[in-house]
Amino acid sequence: MKLSTVMAGLVAATCMVSAAKADKLDDVISSGTLRCAVVLDFPPMGSRDESNNPIGFDVDYCNDLAKSLGVTAEIVETPFPERIPALMSGRVDVGVASTSDTLDRAKTVGMTIPYYAFENSVVASEKADFTTWEGMKGKVVGATAGTYEAIWLEGQVKAWGEGEFRPYQTQADVFLALSQGQLDATVSTTEVANANVKSGKFPGIKIVDKAPMVPDYVALFTNREEYGFINYLNLFINQQVRSGRYAELYKKWVGEGEPANLSVNGVYR
């Protein structure tokens, strides 16, 4: 075998090894920018201020993550149904977008340990004649397509065998439809429900009851094969909690009280 052939093989092998070692964590640090998918019609997690600047818990969380990496954060506004497509198409590096850690999603993207946990409430028209969550039976209900709330609500309508479920593109669309009388009720995270009722942007709505749903644990997500980046994200979440930053952001954006415990008995410590 010619020496030139051997050398060419060694060069190719070296390139392959280098390529194998390169990962998204290195790429983000090298680029100087962290692109975060964030939902901006989901207050207090994400919204815009009077100057149209992104604000909210998830916005601050992305900024904190970027700071820990020594890079600049870029907030990429991403509606709920577009969160995973934005990652798969390469538009973003990570989702900081209140994304439920479902097993179905984990078949497509790599998900971290929970960074937040939601409880859910039933929000209805002020004209609604029910006071408990069971009162939604037989009514027209809706939620943002593909979300934890939508999956649960649609399942309830099927189980009841009556009523109607309507999916919407954004959270704002859901609350607007509710305010305009196109929906009788929706299910939303308690944080978002409180924020939208208090905002005055959607007149004629009220919180009726807690929804009997298990806490909605949400995770950061990135490409499934990016183990180094996922490990970093998991450690970052851990550091946010033990440094007190998680509680600080909760108080800033949600209000008084204690943030939900991110541990699950026997699973997350």
Side-chain angles (χ1 to χ4, degrees), residues 120-135:
N120 288 275
S121 293
V122 176
V123 188
S125 165
E126 287 183 345
K127 298 177 182 179
D129 58 355
F130 59 90
T131 57
T132 65
W133 74 271
E134 290 96 335

Side-chain angles (χ1 to χ4, degrees), residues 102-118:
T102 68
L103 292 175
D104 277 343
R105 285 181 176 141
K107 295 174 185 175
T108 304
V109 298
M111 310 204 80
T112 65
I113 59 176
Y115 77 97
Y116 197 89
F118 292 102

